[in-house]
Amino acid sequence: MRTAEFRRELRAWLDGHDLAPGDDHGLDAQVAQLARVRRALWEADWMRYGWPREVGGLGGPGVLRAVLGEEVASRDLAEPGIWSMVEVLVPTLIDYAPPALAAEMVPRLLSGREQWCQGFSEPGSGSDLASLSTRAVRDNGGDWVVSGQKVWTSLAQYAARCVLLARTGGPGHDGISAFFVDMDSPGITVRPLRTMHGVDEFAEVFLDEVRVPGERLLGAPGDGWKLAMDLLPHERSTCFWHRIAHLHSRLDRLLADGCEPDAGALGAAWLDLHTARCRSALTQRALAEGGRLGPETSVDKILLATAEQRLFDTARDLLPGTVELTDEGAWRTEYLYSRAATIYGGTAEIQRNIAARRLLDLGKE
Amino acid sequence: MDAEERELLEQTLRKTMSGASGPVLDASLADLGWAEMLAEEPGTAIPLVFRLLGETGAHASVLNDIVLRETGGPPGRTPALPYTGGLWVEWARDGSADDCPLDPSLPLRRVAAGGAVPLAEGRRALGWWLLGTGRAMLALARRHVLDRHQFGRPLASFQALRHRLAEAYVGLEGAEAVLTATGDDDTCALLAKAAAGRAALTAARHCQQALGGIGFTAEHDLHRHVKRALVLDGLLGSARDLTREAGSLLLREGRTPRLVDL
Ligand SMILES: Cc1cc2nc3c(=O)[nH]c(=O)nc-3n(C[C@H](O)[C@H](O)[C@H](O)COP(=O)(O)OP(=O)(O)OC[C@H]3O[C@@H](n4cnc5c(N)ncnc54)[C@H](O)[C@@H]3O)c2cc1C
């Protein structure tokens, strides 16, 4: 199906099917809403376009997923942050899981039956992910036994599965492997963490001799780092398009909420968003033409994080007192959440390190 | 024009611009078929020629041709062009400047206020020029930090400088995306010039810092590009003017236009 046709038909369908969220903006309600939207979109097939048939999709170009997410974000049907887990983890499963496992599991996520999470960061390993110390040891039967701790794992408290990195070999990148772990396995304890914006989206995950069957290894032993690096561009293409659409809707809301008419500040916020959008459009195009995305997506990440923070800084400036004294229109929550944009998914500094090293070719620090 | 022809044209133009500037370059461009290129393949010719003017540091009076093309006036004239601050200038074709512009090689003359002219194509063209100027500064700074050592290490190994240059790079990449995605819409052109002006000024700031004392000397090339960026930014509306104009549009419409789509 062509992009424009898909968009038109999808819009018509969404106009006729009320999927608007209720008044409860708590995380439980948001996650339930996410599942409801996915289920409806899956049953009506929208959620299947752009995914391969082998995992329950209907095929077609991946750009259709960008369009779907844009419509979902623009109508505020689901928060793009929690929506994005699909875009990050499904391609990973398709590329690294045994085909039968991917075929069995992917439809569960797409259809809203399950949530999944991404267990990379550890208390001692954030930016320096390659230093992670959660260990997986193979036992005689070919299963793996995993022990360690993950932290800031988004949606872990709701997740049925986790794409988990653990050390199976020596130190460094080559010693890391990836697993697809059932979150109800004995030995896993999830402890939600409080966040500063009041939506407690992430958790600590403790793993105490958790048995993971041999066929749940993703790729070969030692492929974990490669998987993590391959996952980043997914995080920065389709999902970014969704997030940028969401931010445009927030700029609209700022105008609708009667902000101070500071044309310079509003124009600057729009210019940043428009720049991120134009860049992301080029990235989607490169992806559509079969290009492999690499370090250049750090540019997208920096542009988006900068645009997001400027937008919410502008909102705070032009709706004076709103963030501090009221929680109308979710400005407070979203302002606070925007502070994390330069931290999650690789910090602003790490992105600049990558740009300097890989894109400007400045050699080592 | 296919990719190979474009590559060849780029090489020829770059070589020409490296050896000539002003009226001499105007003549060379005419010989190379500038008028035909502009008529037949503006989408290729404008970005290429203007970006290369920036990258090589040369100048030519081709902005006049872009503006005249849009107004439909007879070729060869020098239309009055709005400058920031409510000022007006013209780009003299004989290469002479009478006021003393910050960038002394540019033949800009203050003139009386002119009539309204369509600006979209001119802004887009200047956006490409500013992008090229920004890239020229970044190339100078990059070379310098790799070559020069302090404290027994290359300057390029200091993270503070790496991040400044990364910042300059990201701004320029963003501006290029905005320039590339530009349709025929006036608003797209306005945002494109704003993005390019801002990116060039950001690059100027960071590159100047990375070059230290040498970048402050008249014999180093940096200052030429810095001054060019400052002057071109003001022409047909500065990044600040245009950003404010974009904001006024938002306030008028009450909704953010989504100007590019998949
Ligand atoms: C809202 C949110 C959701 C998240 N969700 C997940 C998730 O689902 N799964 C998951 O695995 N993780 C998740 N994370 C974790 C996230 O990936 C890490 O926070 C991030 O990688 C940074 O690691 P850190 O917090 O340990 O900070 P650190 O790495 O300790 O960094 C602290 C500061 O030092 C700077 N710094 C570190 N190294 C360098 C360097 N080499 N050069 C210059 N500066 C440097 C950083 O830029 C930062 O400013 C989430 C985080 C947040 C905030």
Side-chain angles (χ1 to χ4, degrees), chain A residues 118 120-121 126-127 152 154 201-202 343-344 347 349 353, chain B residues 159:
Chain A
Q118 178 186 335
F120 287 13
S121 303
S127 299
W152 307 308
S154 295
E201 70 159 55
F202 55 32
I343 298 171
Y344 57 65
T347 71
E349 288 71 30
N353 290 350
Chain B
Q159 195 178 63

Side-chain angles (χ1 to χ4, degrees), chain A residues 85 117-129 150-156 163 195 197 201-202 337 339-351 353 365, chain B residues 159 163:
Chain A
M85 214 56 90
C117 64
Q118 178 186 335
F120 287 13
S121 303
E122 298 183 359
S125 304
S127 299
D128 185 12
L129 184 62
K150 296 289 166 180
V151 73
W152 307 308
T153 315
S154 295
L155 301 187
V163 173
T195 60
H197 70 316
E201 70 159 55
F202 55 32
Y337 189 57
R339 304 301 101 177
T342 43
I343 298 171
Y344 57 65
T347 71
E349 288 71 30
I350 296 302
Q351 303 317 313
N353 290 350
E365 269 175 40
Chain B
Q159 195 178 63
H163 283 195

